Amino acid sequence: MAYNLVPCDRDQQFLMPPSLDDWLPKDHLARFVVAVVETLDLSAFYARRRADGWGRAAYDPRMMVALLIYAYATGARSSRLIERRCIEDIAFRFISANEAPDHATTARFAQDHESELADLFDQVLRLAAEVGLLKVGLVALDSTRMKANASAGANRGADWIRHEVERIIAEARATDEEEDARLGEASPSDVPEELAEPNTRLARLLAAKARLEADEAERQAAYEAKLAGREEYAKRTGKGMRGRKPKPPTERLRDRERSKVANTTDPDSRTMGAANGGFVQGYNAQAVATKEQIVVACAVTTNSTDYGLEPMVDQAKENLARAGVGQKIGVVVGDAGYVTEDNLGLEEELGVELVIATRNRKRAGPGEQPRPRGRIPGGLSRTQRMDRKLRTKRGERLYRRRGGAIEPVFGQERQRGAGHFRRRGLTACASEWRFEQTVHNLLKIRTSGKWTAPGGTPSPTRPSRRSLRSAHLLTCSRYPR
């Protein structure tokens, strides 16, 4: 019996030189990334290169930027994984033009150009405005806990850190004295490694020690400010302020616990409560998104509470102004993490309407908190007025849009592997988070189908059948939707 099968001859030679362009579907994400990067202004990346042609040849920054964008878009964040994909994956080989940058080169490029990669956010936001995706009548603000590149097991107490710093310095001093006695005057190159290299254990311990001292000073300053505010209120009104008198930081159990430990791997990271009720060693990553899930502002903080309403709205306004968006933000929607009397009093200053869930808010329904009628009663606090607004039909309608605007942003990013930071330190993590939002906005532009490459065709909203039939050419990654 003869079977009619497609030949599988791995020794078959190509009659013509192979072309990567023929192997990749025409509507593939890699082609979109390359086309978009060609339109971006990358002069800041080239400014680091010598213009006289001397020195060892470096990889084209335009290629490296496209490689990192595509890697983040497909969940390949590890530099070693990117190196392997540049050998095994057709799409990565298409972007890198059959080159294979090693993992050290890729990691060093991301580290050396962290500010330039973060600044791509503004250019992509401008691109979203040009294709008509930026509608900021209503924006939603939220945050998510991101794991740091550090273990909670590396948290150490202040006494342990102080003793370890003293031990390392004493050991280095003893080594210097022994070498001076044996070899004479030491040269500058004989500086102990712990003191010469900024990324060593001693440097991290000193940073952790400084962080604990700064936190203690900050808590003490906040305590003194509260006392001064109560005294000023008493002088102005002639009566004491209502509420309990604040306790010194040394008497508050929470402050005593927080002041005990710092992380020796990433001193900027904090122990924060996670959504599942546990704890995570990481950062608080915030974002502001439109109804179309375009991120217009993002930031990373070490504060576990979501009180950064004003700086996030201000950043969103600045980003929109740089993107050339004339429309102003109308409504800012946030969850109960942002409800404070101070935040609710920022409407006039920020020039926006705030719709923020209150902590004691319940869904309106039969037998539950009837809808308010008539004029707003006098004497209500800002939180009570907000709770009243949320029980109106308009308030419910506005707040209901929050989930569809911001929650999918975090969900989609976590599906792409953005559940933790790869860099260490607040500045590096903030740049990584901003680059992540750049990639997110690019994917939204692609799925909208509104962007057209210069001299090309609009980006597809979904893969064609021909692309899916050609997916067997991709050896390692599934077809990115």
Side-chain angles (χ1 to χ4, degrees):
M1 181 181 296
Y3 295 98
N4 185 17
L5 303 177
V6 176
C8 180
D9 185 2
R10 296 182 177 86
D11 296 327
Q12 174 66 45
Q13 301 294 320
F14 286 100
L15 300 179
M16 296 289 291
S19 172
L20 291 175
D21 187 71
D22 295 336
W23 289 3
L24 201 63
K26 296 300 180 183
D27 55 357
H28 197 275
L29 174 61
R31 293 183 184 273
F32 169 79
V33 170
V34 171
V36 169
V37 171
E38 289 295 327
T39 66
L40 300 179
D41 179 13
L42 303 185
S43 56
F45 291 86
Y46 288 93
R48 292 174 173 264
R49 307 297 175 187
R50 294 186 58 161
D52 55 10
W54 286 82
R56 184 178 179 180
Y59 290 109
D60 189 345
R62 198 169 295 276
M63 181 273 285
M64 295 297 294
V65 169
L67 186 64
L68 286 175
I69 290 177
Y70 183 76
Y72 270 61
T74 55
R77 285 168 170 75
S78 167
S79 57
R80 294 183 183 273
L81 179 57
I82 295 174
E83 178 185 0
R84 188 164 69 248
R85 289 287 177 87
C86 287
I87 299 173
E88 301 174 345
D89 193 295
I90 297 297
F92 278 83
R93 295 181 66 173
F94 173 82
I95 294 175
S96 63
N98 254 339
E99 297 290 343
D102 60 34
H103 63 275
T105 300
T106 304
R108 189 162 51 246
F109 182 87
Q111 178 179 353
D112 294 343
H113 299 86
E114 66 176 24
S115 59
E116 289 85 353
L117 290 171
D119 290 342
L120 294 177
F121 178 85
D122 293 330
Q123 296 192 50
V124 173
L125 195 63
R126 189 180 306 116
L127 188 63
E130 292 175 356
V131 301
L133 286 180
L134 270 185
K135 301 176 182 179
V136 293
L138 181 143
V139 297
L141 168 65
D142 204 356
S143 66
T144 182
R145 304 296 184 268
M146 294 282 288
K147 294 181 180 179
N149 188 4
S151 170
N155 288 329
R156 296 291 185 269
D159 293 339
W160 186 95
I161 293 174
R162 183 177 61 257
H163 292 157
E164 189 69 6
V165 168
E166 293 173 353
R167 183 191 67 79
I168 293 176
I169 293 178
E171 182 179 343
R173 185 180 296 111
T175 301
D176 285 344
E177 293 175 354
E178 188 273 334
E179 289 181 349
D180 288 346
R182 180 166 49 90
L183 302 174
E185 290 295 328
S187 64
S189 60
D190 292 332
V191 176
E193 181 182 357
E194 291 86 353
L195 302 179
E197 176 58 45
N199 294 324
T200 57
R201 180 175 179 81
L202 177 60
R204 296 197 303 271
L205 290 174
L206 290 174
K209 183 173 178 288
R211 199 269 284 175
L212 287 175
E213 294 173 351
D215 285 354
E216 184 178 357
E218 182 180 352
R219 288 191 293 271
Q220 183 64 29
Y223 166 71
E224 294 175 357
K226 289 181 179 179
L227 290 182
R230 294 177 68 90
E231 292 178 2
E232 188 275 334
Y233 179 85
K235 292 180 181 179
R236 178 167 46 86
T237 62
K239 56 183 179 180
M241 182 180 291
R242 298 178 61 183
R244 293 182 179 180
K245 185 178 180 179
K247 293 182 178 180
T250 55
E251 297 181 10
R252 295 182 60 187
L253 177 61
R254 180 182 179 186
D255 286 339
R256 290 202 306 269
E257 294 296 328
R258 289 171 56 187
S259 63
K260 285 183 179 180
V261 297
N263 194 273
T264 57
T265 304
D266 185 355
D268 288 343
S269 64
R270 301 291 194 275
T271 302
M272 300 183 178
N276 58 5
F279 293 90
V280 60
Q281 187 71 29
Y283 294 90
N284 187 3
Q286 303 191 68
V288 179
T290 66
K291 292 186 297 182
E292 291 75 22
Q293 299 172 14
I294 299 293
V295 177
V296 296
C298 55
V300 175
T301 69
T302 57
N303 193 341
S304 60
T305 55
D306 297 335
Y307 291 160
L309 175 66
E310 184 176 10
M312 292 303 297
V313 176
D314 288 340
Q315 184 196 145
K317 291 181 178 180
E318 295 173 1
N319 293 340
L320 292 172
R322 285 195 296 267
V325 179
Q327 183 183 4
K328 295 183 178 181
I329 297 177
V331 181
V332 176
V333 186
D335 62 10
Y338 295 92
V339 61
T340 65
E341 289 292 311
D342 292 337
N343 280 348
L344 296 180
L346 294 173
E347 283 189 326
E348 184 176 353
E349 179 180 347
L350 296 175
V352 299
E353 179 185 358
L354 298 178
V355 179
I356 301 178
T358 54
R359 301 183 191 280
N360 59 348
R361 174 176 176 263
K362 298 180 179 179
R363 292 183 178 273
E368 296 181 1
Q369 295 189 342
R371 298 193 186 279
R373 297 176 178 272
R375 294 182 179 181
I376 301 176
L380 296 181
S381 66
R382 293 168 180 165
T383 303
Q384 292 171 333
R385 292 171 67 93
M386 181 59 65
D387 182 72
R388 188 179 189 277
K389 178 197 290 188
L390 289 166
R391 287 187 284 115
T392 64
K393 289 184 178 180
R394 180 176 178 273
E396 281 190 351
R397 184 177 68 253
L398 291 176
Y399 186 77
R400 197 179 297 120
R401 296 179 182 177
R402 185 198 71 87
I406 189 65
E407 296 293 349
V409 173
F410 297 146
Q412 293 160 14
E413 289 171 351
R414 290 186 180 276
Q415 283 186 334
R416 296 194 297 268
H420 64 280
F421 290 116
R422 301 199 62 82
R423 303 286 308 283
R424 291 173 180 169
L426 178 60
T427 302
C429 290
S431 298
E432 185 178 346
W433 180 244
R434 195 171 179 87
F435 183 68
E436 176 62 42
Q437 305 314 312
T438 302
V439 175
H440 172 84
N441 287 344
L442 272 178
L443 293 176
K444 289 299 176 180
I445 293 173
R446 179 179 183 260
T447 54
S448 70
K450 296 182 178 181
W451 185 80
T452 303
T457 56
S459 57
T461 56
R462 58 179 300 175
S464 64
R465 290 187 177 181
R466 181 180 179 183
S467 299
L468 295 176
R469 287 197 302 268
S470 303
H472 68 277
L473 296 175
L474 308 180
T475 58
C476 287
S477 63
R478 68 182 184 273
Y479 194 93
R481 292 182 179 268

